[in-house]
Amino acid sequence: MQRRLTGALFGAVLVSWAMLAGAQALPRVEPEAVGLSSQRLALIGATVEGWVAKKELPGAVTLVARRGRVAYVHVAGWRDAAAGDALREDSIFRLYSMTKPVVSIAALQLVEDGRLALNEPVHKYIPEFKDMKVATESVDAAGNAVMTTAPAKRAITVQDLLRHTSGITYGPPLQTKTLVQKMYAEAGIWSQKWVLADFARALARLPLMAEPGTTWEYGHNTDILGRVVEVAAGKPLNEVLDERILRPLGMADTAFQVPPQKASRLAQPQPDPYSGQTPDLIDLTQPATFFAGGHGLAGTASDYLRFAQMLLDEGRLGRTRIIGPRTLAWATSDHVHGGIAKGGNFIPGPGYGFGLGFGVRLERGQSTLPGSPGEFYWGGYAGTAFWVDPKEDLVVVFMTTEPTRRNAYRAALRGLVYGAIDN
C-alpha cells in the first residue's frame, strides 16, 4: 500500500511540475509594455459590446497576446442569454474547425516519430480508400444533372488530407451544391453518432469531387486524418490528443465532450435578431463516440491561447516541446501552389495559401484583411477564430457562438487589433 501511495504521489508531483514548467498561464501586462495601445484596444471591447447590445452576438471572449504576454482580455455578453447567465473568461466554446490545427499537429508529431509520412497513401491506414472513384457532373439534354464516375488517377495521400486536396468535400448542412454532396446527405455523413472507423469506411464508399492532388476542396479531410492518426498511433484520437498535446499544454478544458460538471460553462447560441432562427449546433454534452478531427473539440479561450502561443514559439510552450521548429515551419508554408486549383471555394482568400492545417499569409497586399506575410490562422463554424503573426510576435484568440456573421466579426477584429499596434 505504501509503495502504491508513494508512486501515486510521485506521479502527481510529475504532472504538477510539468504544468508549472511548461503549461502555466501566460503572464499579463499592460498593453504599452508590449507595444500596444490601451486606447486602441479598448475599441475592441466597445465594438463587441455593440454587437451584443444589438443581439447580433450572444457574447465573446477576446484575448490578445504579444511578445509572450497577454496584453488584452475582454469578456462581454451572455453564456446563455435565455437563462440570463453571463459569459466568463473560462466559458467553454464549440471549436468546430479550430479542431483541425490541433489534429494536424498530432499527425505531424507522428511524422517526427517516423510512424507516418506525408507521401504515403491513405489506404495504407484505411484500406477502403484504395480504389476511389472521381465524379464528373454534367447536364443532360432535358436539363437534368447527371453524374458519371471513373477510377482516380492516383491514390489520396496523407498530405492531401492535411492540405484539403483529396477530393473529399462537405455535404449538408454546410454544402449542397452538387450531386456528390447530396450523396453525403443520403449516407448520413454529418451525423454525430458515428464511430470514427465506421465513418471513414462510409466516406470511402462515396465518389470524390476532384482528382486527388489537383484541387483545394474544403471537406472532411481532417476527420479522415484523425482516423489515420488513430491507426498510426494505435489508440483512439481523443487519447492521442490528450497525451501528446492537451495535457502537456495544460489545456484542461479542451475535449471532445463537455462533461456534466462543466456543462454549465458551455456557451450557447441565441436566436438571430433578424431571422428569429437559433443556430443548430452540435450537442457536446452527450457522451462522445465520434472523435471528429475536423470539428469535434470544445475548449476555452485561454486553452486555445496556450496552443496558439506554442505555435508562435516554434513548437514550444515554456519548457514543454510539442513539435519541432523545422516541422512547424514546413507546416506553415504554402502547400497549394503550382498546379493545384483553388477554385471558387478557397476559404483562405486572396493573398493566402494553405499549409498543413492552416491558412498561410503569402502577401502583404491582395487580401481584404490586414496581416503580415508568414501569419497563419483558422476559424470555426460557430464563430471562433485565431491567428498567429510571427512578424508582430502576436497571437489573437476570439471565442463566440454565432455562425451567421462570423466573417464580418473576424474582419472587424483584424482591423481593430492591427490598429492597436504602436511599435
Side-chain angles (χ1 to χ4, degrees):
M1 172 66 75
Q2 181 64 41
R3 179 176 298 176
R4 287 198 296 271
L5 180 59
T6 302
L9 288 171
F10 181 66
V13 169
L14 284 179
V15 171
S16 298
W17 174 249
M19 292 284 288
L20 289 171
Q24 60 188 356
L26 297 180
R28 299 192 176 191
V29 298
E30 291 299 316
E32 282 72 18
V34 291
L36 296 171
S37 164
S38 297
Q39 182 180 9
R40 299 294 302 181
L41 285 173
L43 294 175
I44 296 174
T47 302
V48 173
E49 288 164 16
W51 295 332
V52 172
K54 292 188 289 186
K55 300 185 185 300
E56 292 180 342
L57 195 72
V61 177
T62 309
L63 301 180
V64 180
R66 198 172 190 220
R67 301 171 187 167
R69 290 171 285 179
V70 178
Y72 185 74
V73 179
H74 185 266
V75 183
W78 305 101
R79 181 201 68 82
D80 187 333
D85 188 10
L87 200 65
R88 305 187 318 187
E89 190 177 337
D90 70 346
S91 293
I92 296 171
F93 296 83
R94 297 164 176 86
L95 298 180
Y96 277 93
S97 287
M98 275 171 53
T99 305
K100 290 178 170 73
V102 180
V103 174
S104 298
I105 291 296
L108 294 171
Q109 288 176 323
L110 296 176
V111 171
E112 290 188 330
D113 290 350
R115 301 166 74 176
L116 190 64
L118 264 61
N119 63 350
E120 292 176 324
V122 171
H123 65 69
K124 176 180 176 180
Y125 301 92
I126 311 172
E128 289 82 2
F129 276 88
K130 184 172 179 57
D131 297 308
M132 297 299 293
K133 300 291 192 299
V134 178
T136 299
E137 297 189 20
S138 58
V139 178
D140 65 16
N144 300 312
V146 294
M147 182 181 74
T148 59
T149 62
K153 295 178 181 177
R154 72 157 174 83
I156 298 170
T157 66
V158 176
Q159 184 184 35
D160 287 323
L161 296 179
L162 280 157
R163 67 184 183 184
H164 292 275
T165 57
S166 68
I168 294 170
T169 186
Y170 271 131
L174 299 184
Q175 298 177 18
T176 55
K177 301 174 185 175
T178 69
L179 294 177
V180 171
Q181 288 161 349
K182 291 177 181 177
M183 291 177 69
Y184 275 51
E186 293 167 1
I189 291 300
W190 193 250
S191 168
Q192 299 305 300
K193 297 180 180 180
W194 291 100
V195 173
L196 188 51
D198 294 337
F199 171 86
R201 284 190 285 267
L203 193 58
R205 290 194 287 268
L206 301 175
L208 303 173
M209 286 275 290
E211 290 285 350
T214 67
T215 305
W216 194 92
E217 173 70 26
Y218 202 43
H220 288 283
N221 294 278
T222 319
D223 295 319
I224 301 303
L225 180 67
R227 177 55 183 162
V228 170
V229 167
E230 285 190 334
V231 176
K235 59 183 63 177
L237 182 62
N238 64 319
E239 294 182 16
V240 176
L241 298 187
D242 192 53
E243 292 174 9
R244 303 190 64 132
I245 298 175
L246 304 180
R247 271 193 287 156
L249 289 178
M251 298 171 68
D253 289 318
T254 302
F256 284 102
Q257 180 191 352
V258 179
Q261 65 272 23
K262 296 182 181 181
S264 63
R265 292 164 55 196
L266 179 62
Q268 301 295 351
Q270 68 182 11
D272 184 85
Y274 307 109
S275 70
Q277 300 297 310
T278 300
D280 185 15
L281 302 179
I282 298 170
D283 184 0
L284 294 180
T285 64
Q286 299 301 308
T289 59
F290 183 29
F291 305 124
H295 62 266
L297 288 175
T300 62
S302 58
D303 271 10
Y304 213 90
L305 181 67
R306 289 186 178 95
F307 177 74
Q309 186 66 41
M310 175 275 295
L311 298 175
L312 177 62
D313 290 343
E314 299 183 327
R316 183 193 298 273
L317 186 66
R319 282 173 275 181
T320 300
R321 168 67 68 189
I322 297 297
I323 196 83
R326 304 300 184 272
T327 304
L328 189 58
W330 171 50
T332 55
S333 299
D334 184 25
H335 286 249
V336 296
H337 53 77
I340 297 174
K342 294 181 178 179
N345 190 36
F346 186 63
I347 294 173
Y352 282 84
F354 197 85
L356 303 176
F358 308 89
V360 179
R361 184 79 172 226
L362 304 177
E363 305 285 347
R364 184 174 295 278
Q366 298 189 40
S367 176
T368 58
L369 304 175
S372 309
E375 165 249 309
F376 52 96
Y377 84 102
W378 210 237
Y381 169 74
T384 60
F386 87 103
W387 78 89
V388 175
D389 188 332
K391 185 177 184 299
E392 296 293 348
D393 205 352
L394 176 74
V395 174
V396 180
V397 174
F398 181 74
M399 294 288 196
T400 189
T401 311
E402 204 295 296
T404 307
R405 287 168 292 276
R406 62 185 185 271
N407 290 331
Y409 301 140
R410 293 167 184 170
L413 183 63
R414 286 268 186 159
L416 290 162
V417 170
Y418 281 106
I421 297 176
D422 268 348
N423 61 65

